Amino acid sequence: MSETEKRRIKRKKRPGINKAPVIAAIVFIIVVIAAAMLSVMIKKYSPSKERVDLREYYHLQQENDVALLLDQQILEETAILWEGQVYLEYEVVQKYLNQRFYWDSNENILRYTTDADVISVYAGEDSYFVGKKEHKESYPLVRVDGEKVYLALKFVQKYTNLDFAMHQEPNRVLITASWGEISKSVVKKNTQIRVKGGIKSPIVSDVKKGVSVIVIDSGEKWSKVCTEDGMIGYLPKKRLGEVKQEVISRDFEEPQFNHLLKEEPVSLGWHQVTNQEANGRIASVLQSVKGLNVISPTWFYLNDNEGNIYSLASRDYVEYCHQQNVEVWGLVSNLENPDADSNYVLTHTSTRDYLTNQIIAAAIEYDLDGINLDFEALSGDVGDAYIQFIRELSIKCENNDLVLSVDNYVPSSYTAFYNRKEQAVFADYVIIMAYDEHYSGSEDIGSVSSIGFVEKGVSDTLQEVPAEQTILGIPFYSRVWELTLKDGAGEDVESASEDYIPYTFTCTEEGMQTIEDRYTAHGAQAIWSEEDGQYVAEYESEGKTYKIWIENEASLEEKLKVMKEHQLAGAAYWKLGLERQPAWETIIKYVN
């Protein structure tokens, strides 16, 4: 037998290969992979069972912290629970609920002013005073903890149109302060509210079928909701029934603020009185005017840090004005005595009260018709105290039939703290001092009161103050700018700057006729500036340049047109004696 045949016989006798283990291994691998993929799919598409830490979710840190939910929104700020009462920080109350609460940190007194009364609360007390009448509660109304001041929410509610409900685990209080239409729905099937839209977001709360929720925001697949016990988050939109609108309200009597407004337009002239002798010239002052129905003599000013006022008032002056059918609104200023600290007086309740009482006492003594408050150059940190002063003064003015008017700069970012909107709630008139656009401290020369400056001042004021309470203050004066060319002007590197001013300047204030006499004497011609709404004159004298933006009948008429166009309450003029007779002919065309 050949070797080839022997090998063929051996191959035939070899046993066959068993393929079962191989197949089993392959199947096992497939099953493992499928199981892994299924696990991934289940993990990806199965709702998370993770629950959010509710204390962290509601920003709670201390044991007695209470979460604040205002109109279905969780605030970053929290409240405090003391002896069963919820207390909010004073700043939180002012920011979110009611800015009319005023805290005097110097004397630890809380004040609140309604349309008729001033409410006073001393820290730690369970009583409060409405005027001089004492009222009691069963809990401290104001608590001081270090530098923080807390107001009892229940007390805040007395003077604020809000409702609230307390819930536990975690401690949270639901406050409703916005009333009107809301969206509501009923949950159709048991589900969960989650932190965000999506099944992987942590659970905030379980919600049962039939529960009513407020729909805050309705998305494509998830809706943001708030339950009646203040659980806020997202649930699947398909779990909600029909969304319906519901009107919510609360029985609350809002204060009704009244104002002593004149039936005819106000035409007010400021009369600068610096000594008693000036009072004797009132007859000649009034004989030179036309259409004036209010005069405001500069009689009173803050004279010390106790709240005393200096007075130049005259009963004979008032009687003469009344005989001429002219009302007298005594001006009260804070500028004359540099040793009197306005900030101190306004931020201490005792001195602020004393100042208010001094003003009212003087008004009664001299039979005034009103008060014109002219507090200027205040710092922003005294803004709240200044507004509180106006509130408190207004109550006493109204009780004594006195008109309260308040002088204001034109609105700007750095005068926003004067809060003209709140002024207008309590004061009768808000006067825009639409002048001093450029003054001795300005960076450059220019008009005292260009028409653009006036128009913007009026427009911005009307964003805060009703037109029927707005009086436009107009200047009777101009500034004469004296320009001196700088040494080397135009020859050095600094001169190449766009902001470079090649001259130094000073200015003087002069009345209408004096201004005209000045520039005509130097042969200058007044040229009308459409941009400024007034004439401009320029001349050279003794090596210096003089430039004047002229306030006269023409510029006065342009400003009065703005007053008329916006249907303002009237006009006021600084100051009597700087005008000339034709100015009154212009005035009575618009203010009559």
Side-chain angles (χ1 to χ4, degrees):
M1 185 180 292
S2 67
E3 288 298 321
T4 301
E5 290 175 336
K6 289 179 181 179
R7 283 195 296 271
R8 187 179 298 118
I9 292 169
K10 284 182 181 179
R11 280 200 297 272
K12 288 180 180 179
K13 292 180 178 180
R14 218 177 261 169
I17 298 174
N18 188 356
K19 298 181 179 179
V22 176
I23 295 172
I26 294 172
V27 170
F28 176 77
I29 292 171
I30 292 172
V31 169
V32 170
I33 294 173
M37 292 179 65
L38 181 61
S39 176
V40 169
M41 296 296 288
I42 291 172
K43 187 174 181 181
K44 182 177 181 179
Y45 293 104
S46 294
S48 170
K49 295 182 180 180
E50 178 191 358
R51 290 187 172 269
V52 72
D53 182 336
L54 289 177
R55 289 189 61 82
E56 182 179 339
Y57 185 63
Y58 285 106
H59 314 303
L60 303 177
Q61 296 180 357
Q62 305 300 323
E63 188 63 31
N64 61 340
D65 283 355
V66 178
L68 285 175
L69 290 84
L70 175 62
D71 296 323
Q72 297 87 51
Q73 297 295 326
I74 303 172
L75 301 185
E76 290 290 332
E77 301 89 342
T78 57
I80 298 292
L81 187 65
W82 274 317
E83 298 175 355
Q85 290 293 330
V86 178
Y87 289 82
L88 276 63
E89 282 191 53
Y90 165 67
E91 290 80 5
V92 172
V93 172
Q94 274 216 323
K95 181 178 179 180
Y96 295 109
L97 301 178
N98 193 330
Q99 66 163 335
R100 216 154 276 162
F101 284 97
Y102 172 75
W103 173 248
D104 174 359
S105 59
N106 295 303
E107 299 181 352
N108 284 353
I109 300 174
L110 180 74
R111 280 279 173 90
Y112 188 83
T113 312
T114 67
D115 54 337
D117 297 296
V118 176
I119 289 85
S120 303
V121 187
Y122 292 88
E125 299 292 329
D126 61 359
S127 60
Y128 63 100
F129 292 84
V130 178
K132 294 182 179 180
K133 187 176 180 181
E134 185 175 11
H135 298 258
K136 272 194 173 291
E137 296 293 342
S138 59
Y139 54 90
L141 308 177
V142 179
R143 300 186 69 146
V144 178
D145 184 11
E147 294 184 357
K148 292 186 176 181
V149 180
Y150 296 87
L151 279 55
L153 180 55
K154 193 172 181 179
F155 181 69
V156 172
Q157 187 186 35
K158 281 182 176 291
Y159 301 102
T160 311
N161 190 9
L162 66 83
D163 209 352
F164 69 93
M166 179 72 186
H167 298 277
Q168 297 176 323
E169 296 182 2
N171 286 338
R172 59 196 184 279
V173 61
L174 279 70
I175 302 174
T176 301
S178 296
W179 306 97
E181 198 172 75
I182 61 171
S183 300
K184 296 194 76 174
S185 182
V186 174
V187 176
K188 297 190 297 184
K189 186 178 180 180
N190 291 351
T191 186
Q192 294 89 28
I193 292 177
R194 297 181 180 273
V195 175
K196 296 179 179 179
I199 60 174
K200 295 305 178 185
S201 183
I203 297 169
V204 175
S205 175
D206 296 308
V207 184
K208 293 184 178 181
K209 176 182 177 181
V211 167
S212 178
V213 296
I214 295 174
V215 180
I216 301 170
D217 184 31
S218 184
E220 185 177 344
K221 293 183 178 180
W222 291 79
S223 293
K224 187 176 183 181
V225 301
C226 178
T227 63
E228 292 180 352
D229 64 350
M231 289 298 178
I232 296 178
Y234 293 80
L235 54 69
K237 188 174 182 179
K238 63 184 180 181
R239 296 284 188 260
L240 288 176
E242 180 184 358
V243 177
K244 297 181 179 180
Q245 302 305 305
E246 182 178 314
V247 176
I248 58 172
S249 62
R250 175 173 176 258
D251 187 14
F252 181 81
E253 187 175 348
E254 294 284 359
Q256 299 297 317
F257 291 93
N258 300 312
H259 297 100
L260 295 172
L261 303 180
K262 295 177 68 65
E263 292 183 2
E264 70 275 11
V266 173
S267 185
L268 180 152
W270 280 294
H271 181 203
Q272 189 171 31
V273 177
T274 57
N275 53 56
Q276 283 290 345
E277 183 183 354
N279 287 323
R281 295 193 284 272
I282 183 58
S284 62
V285 169
L286 291 185
Q287 285 172 5
S288 65
V289 306
K290 283 187 178 181
L292 199 74
N293 55 18
V294 178
I295 193 167
S296 181
T298 59
W299 275 345
F300 310 106
Y301 61 81
L302 180 63
N303 201 34
D304 59 30
N305 291 348
E306 303 299 318
N308 286 295
I309 58 173
Y310 184 83
S311 173
L312 287 168
S314 163
R315 183 86 184 200
D316 291 340
Y317 181 110
V318 176
E319 288 179 354
Y320 182 81
C321 290
H322 287 172
Q323 290 169 8
Q324 307 304 312
N325 294 317
V326 174
E327 292 186 9
V328 181
W329 298 357
L331 183 144
V332 183
S333 171
N334 68 325
L335 299 177
E336 280 69 20
N337 187 344
D339 295 327
D341 187 344
S342 302
N343 283 25
Y344 181 91
V345 172
L346 294 177
T347 56
H348 288 72
T349 298
S350 58
T351 53
R352 192 178 64 249
D353 283 349
Y354 192 72
L355 172 60
T356 300
N357 291 335
Q358 293 297 297
I359 293 171
I360 297 300
I364 294 171
E365 179 181 357
Y366 293 100
D367 194 26
L368 302 183
D369 304 284
I371 294 296
N372 177 232
L373 190 63
D374 185 41
F375 270 45
E376 300 182 35
L378 297 175
S379 59
D381 57 0
V382 78
D384 285 351
Y386 175 61
I387 294 300
Q388 184 60 22
F389 173 48
I390 292 175
R391 293 184 186 117
E392 294 166 357
L393 180 60
S394 75
I395 297 296
K396 295 198 172 186
C397 281
E398 183 175 3
N399 291 341
N400 290 279
D401 293 322
L402 294 165
V403 175
L404 177 60
S405 60
V406 183
D407 301 337
N408 280 270
Y409 302 113
V410 296
S412 64
S413 59
Y414 52 86
T415 63
F417 67 87
Y418 278 88
N419 198 347
R420 296 160 188 81
K421 183 177 181 178
E422 185 72 355
Q423 282 188 33
V425 173
F426 287 87
D428 300 303
Y429 290 105
V430 171
I431 302 179
I432 312 169
M433 298 185 293
Y435 39 80
D436 285 349
E437 178 182 2
H438 295 87
Y439 53 96
S440 59
S442 294
E443 294 181 358
D444 200 357
I445 65 173
S447 172
V448 167
S449 179
S450 69
I451 194 63
F453 178 77
V454 173
E455 288 173 337
K456 187 175 188 310
V458 169
S459 177
D460 289 348
T461 298
L462 292 179
Q463 298 297 313
E464 301 180 88
V465 183
E468 62 268 22
Q469 289 181 254
T470 303
I471 296 173
L472 178 60
I474 300 172
F476 277 165
Y477 66 93
S478 304
R479 285 196 167 92
V480 180
W481 298 94
E482 180 185 281
L483 283 58
T484 303
L485 193 68
K486 292 179 181 178
D487 292 339
E491 301 174 0
D492 52 18
V493 175
E494 183 186 3
S495 301
S497 169
E498 291 184 5
D499 300 328
Y500 178 70
I501 299 175
Y503 50 80
T504 60
F505 56 86
T506 58
C507 66
T508 56
E509 296 177 10
E510 297 177 7
M512 291 182 180
Q513 192 58 51
T514 306
I515 287 292
E516 184 167 310
D517 293 343
R518 173 188 278 273
Y519 72 77
T520 54
H522 287 87
Q525 183 177 0
I527 300 173
W528 181 257
S529 168
E530 196 68 36
E531 179 183 359
D532 296 305
Q534 59 193 149
Y535 286 100
V536 182
E538 184 174 336
Y539 63 89
E540 304 284 334
S541 177
E542 298 181 357
K544 294 184 178 181
T545 300
Y546 294 84
K547 193 165 184 179
I548 311 167
W549 281 261
I550 301 165
E551 296 293 346
N552 60 14
E553 296 79 25
S555 64
L556 184 63
E557 183 160 25
E558 294 302 306
K559 295 172 179 59
L560 290 170
K561 286 178 181 177
V562 174
M563 181 212 72
K564 200 76 171 179
E565 176 189 349
H566 291 282
Q567 298 181 318
L568 304 186
Y573 327 103
W574 180 265
K575 62 183 177 172
L576 296 180
L578 294 180
E579 81 286 7
R580 56 188 180 184
Q581 197 58 38
W584 295 107
E585 303 300 333
T586 301
I587 288 170
I588 61 175
K589 286 165 54 180
Y590 294 90
V591 188
N592 197 330

